[in-house]
């Protein structure tokens, strides 16, 4: 097999966390692969935090982030930037991850140059194109352009088979989020936040950022959180606040005045994983956290009406609670007061693999190029 050029494209924090183990694995095989890391920087600070933890130096950086830019603006900048790079570099395959606008634009740019596309974390679905928005459409569009589907679970494989994608090109690998956890577990972290999270309190880890939750849904959830903390003196919340201005504004307005609600900047992922491990429960609308928390045996209340990650529901570690104030309030109370329920949810069976997803992905890429 000739040495092949692999372009790995990503732009946001979660893509970076889940692509980092794939990059590390490709680099271990550098006699077979030249790895080009192309970041769009759809996120800037939150992306750079991940690159630092995993010690990744991008080959290209499109630096597209502008405050509050629209989805169309991101798509246009990413596509044009990638077109120039793809024409110059002529990669043998482009790898994209998940469902962000960066990933969709990258897949389309690769398709226009007729470059094979590998989709990492393929096959997730809610089948409601506005939920989550715009991620559900992004991932379906990417899967319509992709040639290789690296799916985390059997269920995600089934989704793709139902859509008539070729079984020969669907590979069940587990989720690279678990590989990333395996890596951060090896890192020592000391931080004042960890000292503050004393065991005399039950700590709720809260994150919220989804676009469909901006405005009223977030307002409702934050009111529920404020109420529950006011009522339980042994309860505290830590919330790393997403840098999205829409989120920042509401958090300051509704959660800013309570000593037992710690509002902190986005945390580096090695520290964040230690924070998950110390939490009593996770309250989130994040996709990635639904995969990570089961690996730490922490129950998750999902602040959405639907999830594309039903494996966690089946395993019993997730509960979808929506964003209505009363429902969120009572769900948190339920977990605080019902030890049986808590024990059941925290008895996690991690459905996302054993931390070898990136090895499996790179092996499949190698097999493909060896046979073609
Ligand atoms: C994006 C992804 C979403 C993913 C989330 C992970 C799309 C459409 N959305 O969310 O799927 O779950 O990232 O966090 O691709 N900002 C900064 N610095 C940063 C990051 C963001 O200042 O490091 C601010 C900017 O003003 C930016 C805004 O946050 O315009 C929103 O960023 P954006 O990438 O559009 O985030 P989301 O769509 O919320
Ligand atoms: N994360 C992090 N620091 C934080 C909050 C989250 O490193 O302060 C990590 C988390 O461990 C997970 C990912 O970011 O791997 C989730 O990102 P996010 O919730 O922004 O996006 P989503 O997963 O919903 O696409």
């Amino acid at each position: 097999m000739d040495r092949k050029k692999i372009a790995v494209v990503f732009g946001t924090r979660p893509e970076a966390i889940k692509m980092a183990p794939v990059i590390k694995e490709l680099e271990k095989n550098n006699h077979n692969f030249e790895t080009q890391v192309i970041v769009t920087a759809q996120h800037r600070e939150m992306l750079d935090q991940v690159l630092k933890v995993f010690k990744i130096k991008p080959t290209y950086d499109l630096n597209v982030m502008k405050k509050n830019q629209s989805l169309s603006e991101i798509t246009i900048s990413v596509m044009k930037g990638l077109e120039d790079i793809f024409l110059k570099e002529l990669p043998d395959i482009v790898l994209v991850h998940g469902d962000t606008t960066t990933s969709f634009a990258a897949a389309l740019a690769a398709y226009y140059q007729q470059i094979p596309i590998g989709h990492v974390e393929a096959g997730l679905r809610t089948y409601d194109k506005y939920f989550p928005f715009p991620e559900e459409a992004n991932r379906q569009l990417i899967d319509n352009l992709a040639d290789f589907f690296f799916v985390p679970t059997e269920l995600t494989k089934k989704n793709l088979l139902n859509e008539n994608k070729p079984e020969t090109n669907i590979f069940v690998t587990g989720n690279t989020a678990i590989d990333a956890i395996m890596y951060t577990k090896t890192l020592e972290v000391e931080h004042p936040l960890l000292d503050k999270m004393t065991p005399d309190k039950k700590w709720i880890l809260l994150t919220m950022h989804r676009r469909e939750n901006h405005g009223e849904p977030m307002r409702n959830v934050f009111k529920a959180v404020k109420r529950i903390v006011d009522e339980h003196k042994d309860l505290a919340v830590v919330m790393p606040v997403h840098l999205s201005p829409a989120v920042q504004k509401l958090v300051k307005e509704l959660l800013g005045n309570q000593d037992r609600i710690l509002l902190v900047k986005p945390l580096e992922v090695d520290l964040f994983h230690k924070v998950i491990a110390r939490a009593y429960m996770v309250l989130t609308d994040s996709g990635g956290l639904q995969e990570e928390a089961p690996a730490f045996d922490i129950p998750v209340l999902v602040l959405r009406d639907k999830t594309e990650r039903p494996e966690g529901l089946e395993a019993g570690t997730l509960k979808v609670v929506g964003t209505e104030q009363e429902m969120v309030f009572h769900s948190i109370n339920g977990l605080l007061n019902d030890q049986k329920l808590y024990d059941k949810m925290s008895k996690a069976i991690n459905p996302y693999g054993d931390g070898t997803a990136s090895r499996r992905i790179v092996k499949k890429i190698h097999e493909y190029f060896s046979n073609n």
Side-chain angles (χ1 to χ4, degrees):
M1 179 185 114
D2 304 337
R3 197 162 177 251
K4 300 294 177 190
K5 196 182 276 187
I6 319 284
V8 184
V9 184
F10 54 93
T12 67
R13 169 174 67 191
E15 291 162 76
I17 292 168
K18 292 171 178 179
M19 279 303 219
V22 179
I23 293 166
K24 294 285 173 205
E25 194 60 32
L26 284 167
E27 284 172 351
K28 275 192 213 156
N29 288 274
N30 67 3
H31 47 291
N32 289 318
F33 302 123
E34 176 190 345
T35 308
Q36 297 204 323
V37 176
I38 306 173
V39 298
T40 66
Q42 177 178 331
H43 287 173
R44 184 72 274 170
E45 300 89 334
M46 286 159 58
L47 172 75
D48 292 342
Q49 285 183 311
V50 183
L51 297 176
K52 187 172 148 219
V53 170
F54 285 91
K55 301 189 180 71
I56 291 171
K57 288 210 181 348
T59 322
Y60 290 97
D61 187 334
L62 298 180
N63 201 22
V64 305
M65 197 191 89
K66 296 200 187 83
K67 290 279 164 198
N68 268 327
Q69 68 191 335
S70 72
L71 296 173
S72 305
E73 284 174 301
I74 300 171
T75 309
I76 292 163
S77 322
V78 169
M79 285 197 67
K80 184 61 195 134
L82 289 179
E83 180 177 67
D84 296 344
I85 296 171
F86 290 164
L87 282 170
K88 179 167 165 243
E89 295 288 352
L90 303 173
D92 294 294
I93 187 169
V94 170
L95 298 183
V96 300
H97 180 276
D99 53 21
T100 67
T101 292
T102 282
S103 306
F104 164 60
L108 191 55
Y111 168 72
Y112 283 164
Q113 300 308 319
Q114 301 188 19
I115 304 167
I117 299 161
H119 187 194
V120 177
E121 201 183 88
L124 278 66
R125 297 287 185 270
T126 62
Y127 292 108
D128 176 343
K129 73 175 178 178
Y130 289 113
F131 225 96
F133 172 82
E135 290 82 4
E136 179 65 15
N138 282 346
R139 56 191 165 223
Q140 290 198 27
L141 292 163
I142 296 169
D143 282 333
N144 279 323
L145 298 170
D147 301 277
F148 305 100
F149 308 90
F150 302 108
V151 298
T153 61
E154 289 295 335
L155 198 132
T156 39
K157 175 174 176 178
K158 213 151 105 199
N159 289 339
L160 293 179
L161 290 176
N162 288 340
E163 294 171 22
N164 295 321
K165 303 291 187 288
E167 184 163 16
T168 45
N169 288 6
I170 305 173
F171 309 109
V172 181
T173 63
N175 197 304
T176 58
I178 307 299
D179 307 23
I181 290 173
M182 298 287 188
Y183 172 73
T184 61
K185 271 193 178 157
T186 66
L187 306 176
E188 291 279 329
V189 182
E190 282 179 27
H191 195 277
L193 178 60
L194 295 176
D195 301 332
K196 273 191 199 157
M197 292 181 74
T198 48
D200 58 319
K201 293 201 174 55
K202 286 179 177 163
W203 287 87
I204 296 180
L205 172 59
L206 169 64
T207 81
M208 209 168 174
H209 73 277
R210 305 230 78 83
R211 283 173 185 249
E212 66 275 9
N213 280 338
H214 289 177
E216 230 20 59
M218 254 179 216
R219 204 175 272 282
N220 293 336
V221 169
F222 295 164
K223 282 182 185 161
V225 169
K226 178 84 169 41
R227 262 173 69 197
I228 204 109
V229 174
D230 286 342
E231 281 182 22
H232 294 259
K233 301 293 171 229
D234 64 337
L235 201 61
V237 172
V238 54
M239 179 180 198
V241 187
H242 198 283
L243 294 180
S244 160
V247 179
Q248 296 264 333
K249 184 170 169 282
L250 274 185
V251 169
K252 274 186 200 128
E253 183 189 321
L254 291 160
L255 297 177
N257 291 318
Q258 163 53 276
D259 289 349
R260 279 177 287 113
I261 300 180
L262 293 186
L263 302 177
V264 296
K265 292 193 173 130
L267 304 175
E268 289 183 358
V269 62
D270 50 349
L271 169 60
F272 187 76
H273 285 164
K274 312 276 185 241
V275 170
I276 301 180
R278 289 195 186 198
Y280 186 76
M281 73 175 89
V282 171
L283 202 57
T284 192
D285 65 0
S286 161
L289 258 168
Q290 294 176 57
E291 295 151 350
E292 292 171 334
F296 291 95
D297 295 348
I298 308 297
V300 183
L301 301 181
V302 182
L303 301 165
R304 311 185 187 185
D305 294 330
K306 292 187 178 129
T307 181
E308 62 289 83
R309 290 162 168 95
E311 296 87 351
L313 292 178
E314 216 163 278
T317 58
L318 307 183
K319 191 168 171 224
V320 172
V321 300
T323 54
E324 292 296 330
Q325 191 185 151
E326 287 309 311
M327 182 64 183
V328 173
F329 180 85
H330 290 295
S331 302
I332 301 172
N333 242 341
L335 261 185
L336 290 172
N337 297 329
D338 185 344
Q339 193 60 40
K340 254 198 187 146
L341 174 69
Y342 185 86
D343 291 343
K344 201 165 148 227
M345 286 186 77
S346 62
K347 214 175 355 122
I349 300 158
N350 156 29
Y352 291 110
D354 54 4
T356 56
S358 27
R359 213 178 306 155
R360 288 163 200 256
I361 290 166
V362 172
K363 189 162 168 258
K364 286 297 165 193
I365 295 171
H366 185 258
E367 276 172 22
Y368 165 71
F369 284 122
S370 302
N371 297 330
N372 288 280

